[in-house]
Amino acid sequence: MTERREYSALVERHFAAPRNVGRFEPAFDVLVARSGRVDQGIEVVLSARIEAERIAALRHLVYGCPHSIAAASWLTERLVGATLDELAQWRWREAATALDVPPEKWGRLLAIEDAVRGLERAWRERASSRARTA
Amino acid sequence: MNAPLPIYLDYAATTPIDPRVAEAMIECLREPELQGNPSSMGHEYGRRARARVEQARAQVAAAVNGRPECIVWTSGATESNNLALLGVARFHADRGKHIVSSKTEHKAVLDALKQLESEGFFVTYLKPGADGIVAPEQVSEALRDDTQLVSLMHVNNEIGIIQDVGAIGRICRERGILFHVDAAQSMGKVGIDVQAMCVDLLSLTAHKSYGPKGVGALYVRRNPPVGLRPLIFGGGQELGLRSGTLPTHQIVGMGLACEIAEREREADVARICALRERLWTGISKLGRVELNGHRTQRVCGVLNVSFHGVEGESLKFALTDLAVSSGSACASASDAPSYVLRALGRSDQLAQSSLRFSLGRFTTEAEIDAAIAAVTREVERLRAIAPATSPAK
């Protein structure tokens, strides 16, 4: 390309081969959250399969810049094994540091954090729904 | 070991130098008899260098059907555009302060016009149609009693469309208004005839037509004289319009590049058109791609395509196998969507997801096939990881 932004090695690796692409089929133990819009430069869908009150696996679909693609991919490995409390504590700055994301792209990471918050809400709703039916 | 170079499809940014041109330039740099100052007419070194400069002037003039004395050497199209616009506007300021141009001109024109606005001139920026074409009637309607100059580009550098400068030139000539054409992208791709097109000033550059960077020319009609105030003062070269020692080797390179470009234009255009169609056919098989600019009123070598469902920066980063542009090379340091595509009505998102492929004399069929394969692979990959319900997917 005529211009080329600098990307960290981790961004380059995840961009070239994104991990855990796709989504789980709807089920009781599957949580889904979506955030962003194409005209905002990022749209992301996260789906998580819960087993024994921990995230057993994550899948993602993402439209966005190389940093967004890499961050969504990286997150699907980072959050495996997380409890609801651990998920609730996750913030975008961890991805910014790990992937060396420049400040002008931090807004894209906020969209990814929004999707994580969506998973958290879905998890809490699932928990309260299960409590009601118990 | 150096990494292999990507396939070069950025001829609209600059072209490689034709080996024949390089040879002629090297001769000027190597032979002592050609190393005099072309303005030193008192000795043989200067006279021999001057003879080569004048031969090149005639070559450039012939390529645009102009007279050699109308050619003024500059450092490139940016300087030519600045000299034409600032020089004419300031010289004729007492005749009127209105100028007509368009929103899709090169930055070298738009920024020069911005400077004139800061000096009290008024500029009407015409909005082209969705195909990038400025209709001659738009120009007619924009002219005022105090209009002194119309400036439009012949071939758009981002989308490759060809403006009907002949029709616009005739309108200007009838109204007694000066007409400047930025023809930086035209040489060797489309015929230029300053007489038939009623052009008063024409900007040219060497490096878009297989000549060297750092040299250009401004055609300035001499009969009747246009009236132009210089931007650079000094030794009074170029009849006082552009002072500075003439770079013989650069000028010789430009002269030969223009001669070759015009002589081989028909063959080049036919071959490059076929390659461009092959590229478009291959890319359009992806679906959800849009050609930017008029379908047929375009030069052979430029294909500007918008890709739905892929984010622009990712698309560009993915195509490391290709040397292509996302817009004008002169403006692409920023991530802002192309102002040319925005003026054509493309959304920010789609403008940002657009690539300019530009082909040239040395592009091969194998390179085009490799480019199609790379674009297909990466666009499909990026679309496959995007959310399925995304409106852009």
Side-chain angles (χ1 to χ4, degrees):
Chain A
M1 293 305 309
T2 306
E3 82 272 31
R4 178 153 181 179
R5 186 185 293 279
E6 291 300 317
Y7 301 97
S8 68
L10 192 57
V11 169
E12 292 201 10
R13 284 204 299 276
H14 278 277
F15 179 80
R19 279 61 146 175
N20 306 311
V21 173
R23 60 187 298 169
F24 293 117
E25 290 300 313
F28 183 72
D29 61 350
V30 168
L31 313 172
V32 179
R34 172 189 291 269
S35 75
R37 286 201 320 260
V38 165
D39 59 6
Q40 294 170 337
I42 179 170
E43 184 175 12
V44 59
V45 176
L46 294 177
S47 60
R49 191 161 46 77
I50 307 300
E51 282 177 15
E53 296 312 304
R54 287 184 182 274
I55 294 177
L58 275 151
R59 294 282 183 271
H60 81 284
L61 293 166
V62 62
Y63 168 98
C65 68
H67 291 106
S68 305
I69 290 172
S73 168
W74 172 84
L75 191 70
T76 62
E77 293 184 329
R78 164 65 184 83
L79 290 179
V80 169
T83 62
L84 175 55
D85 285 345
E86 287 164 346
L87 186 73
Q89 284 165 20
W90 189 83
R91 294 291 181 270
W92 64 271
R93 280 192 181 277
E94 187 186 336
T97 303
L99 296 160
D100 196 14
V101 177
E104 66 268 22
K105 293 295 189 67
W106 287 352
R108 311 285 171 92
L109 299 184
L110 281 168
I112 290 176
E113 184 179 307
D114 283 348
V116 171
R117 297 283 80 80
L119 283 183
E120 181 193 336
R121 280 193 301 277
W123 199 341
R124 291 190 193 283
E125 283 166 16
R126 172 182 175 273
S128 56
S129 156
R130 197 154 64 173
R132 281 196 302 273
T133 55
Chain B
M1 203 172 85
N2 290 335
L5 285 168
I7 295 168
Y8 192 76
L9 293 174
D10 207 12
Y11 280 75
T14 192
T15 55
I17 295 185
D18 189 294
R20 293 167 288 184
V21 172
E23 273 306 311
M25 292 177 68
I26 289 166
E27 185 201 358
C28 289
L29 293 168
R30 192 175 46 211
E31 300 302 326
E33 66 171 29
L34 296 175
Q35 292 184 20
N37 186 326
S39 298
S40 300
M41 296 297 281
H43 54 67
E44 195 56 25
Y45 293 98
R47 285 193 288 272
R48 290 190 187 190
R50 170 61 69 172
R52 294 299 183 98
V53 166
E54 295 312 315
Q55 183 188 7
R57 201 187 301 273
Q59 287 169 313
V60 173
V64 300
N65 193 28
R67 293 155 60 120
E69 63 269 28
C70 298
I71 301 297
V72 176
W73 300 116
T74 66
S75 62
T78 293
E79 187 189 331
S80 298
N81 285 332
N82 274 265
L83 177 58
L85 296 169
L86 302 176
V88 162
R90 289 169 179 167
F91 188 94
H92 294 287
D94 58 340
R95 264 178 49 186
K97 291 204 159 188
H98 182 236
I99 299 167
V100 175
S101 189
S102 90
K103 294 183 173 184
T104 51
E105 298 301 302
H106 192 277
K107 285 286 183 189
V109 165
L110 294 177
D111 284 358
L113 292 174
K114 205 180 289 178
Q115 172 60 31
L116 287 170
E117 287 179 296
S118 76
E119 295 176 17
F121 289 84
F122 302 93
V123 182
T124 298
Y125 297 96
L126 301 173
K127 185 181 188 313
D131 56 7
I133 304 293
V134 174
E137 305 79 59
Q138 287 180 272
V139 176
S140 284
E141 288 164 13
L143 298 180
R144 311 190 319 205
D145 290 343
D146 63 340
T147 305
Q148 58 144 286
L149 178 66
V150 171
S151 176
L152 288 170
M153 69 202 319
H154 192 191
V155 172
N156 185 277
N157 53 309
E158 289 198 28
I159 55 176
I161 57 96
I162 305 168
Q163 301 289 3
D164 188 356
V165 291
I168 295 166
R170 285 187 285 280
I171 291 168
C172 293
R173 190 61 57 87
E174 281 167 17
R175 297 279 296 264
I177 293 166
L178 293 173
F179 184 38
H180 165 247
V181 172
D182 174 2
Q185 294 282 347
S186 310
M187 185 64 70
K189 302 176 187 106
V190 59
I192 308 170
D193 185 331
V194 290
Q195 311 295 333
M197 292 171 169
C198 300
V199 172
D200 299 303
L201 303 117
L202 183 100
S203 298
L204 295 165
T205 189
H207 78 101
K208 310 280 192 187
S209 49
Y210 313 95
K213 295 164 190 62
V215 63
L218 179 65
Y219 164 86
V220 185
R221 181 168 55 82
R222 296 282 187 188
N223 188 21
V226 162
L228 197 62
R229 190 173 291 179
L231 301 179
I232 298 174
F233 300 91
Q237 288 90 344
E238 300 301 278
L239 298 175
L241 287 176
R242 204 282 188 179
S243 289
T245 301
L246 296 172
T248 309
H249 64 294
Q250 301 282 84
I251 288 169
V252 164
M254 179 166 184
L256 183 56
C258 288
E259 185 189 295
I260 294 171
E262 190 51 27
R263 190 174 63 227
E264 300 183 358
R265 177 160 57 89
E266 210 171 305
D268 271 356
V269 166
R271 199 184 69 81
I272 296 166
C273 261
L275 290 174
R276 185 198 65 194
E277 283 309 301
R278 187 181 184 92
L279 180 61
W280 174 236
T281 302
I283 287 175
S284 56
K285 282 180 185 160
L286 274 165
R288 295 185 303 129
V289 295
E290 295 186 46
L291 178 68
N292 292 312
H294 196 280
R295 184 72 186 88
T296 56
Q297 199 172 321
R298 57 172 49 247
V299 290
C300 57
V302 177
L303 189 69
N304 191 308
V305 183
S306 294
F307 296 85
H308 288 269
V310 289
E311 196 273 343
E313 186 185 331
S314 285
L315 177 61
K316 291 154 203 165
F317 183 47
L319 290 173
T320 50
D321 297 347
L322 306 181
V324 295
S325 276
S326 50
S328 165
C330 315
S332 61
S334 89
D335 285 338
S338 152
Y339 67 91
V340 172
L341 297 182
R342 294 291 292 120
L344 268 55
R346 297 291 191 217
S347 66
D348 279 353
Q349 181 268 322
L350 203 52
Q352 210 230 354
S353 298
S354 303
L355 293 177
R356 179 188 70 182
F357 303 87
S358 50
L359 293 56
R361 191 177 287 163
F362 308 116
T363 307
T364 66
E365 206 171 273
E367 287 177 326
I368 293 301
D369 290 345
I372 294 167
V375 171
T376 302
R377 182 185 68 237
E378 293 304 320
V379 169
E380 286 181 343
R381 183 176 81 85
L382 291 169
R383 283 176 175 171
I385 65 173
T389 53
S390 162
K393 190 164 183 182

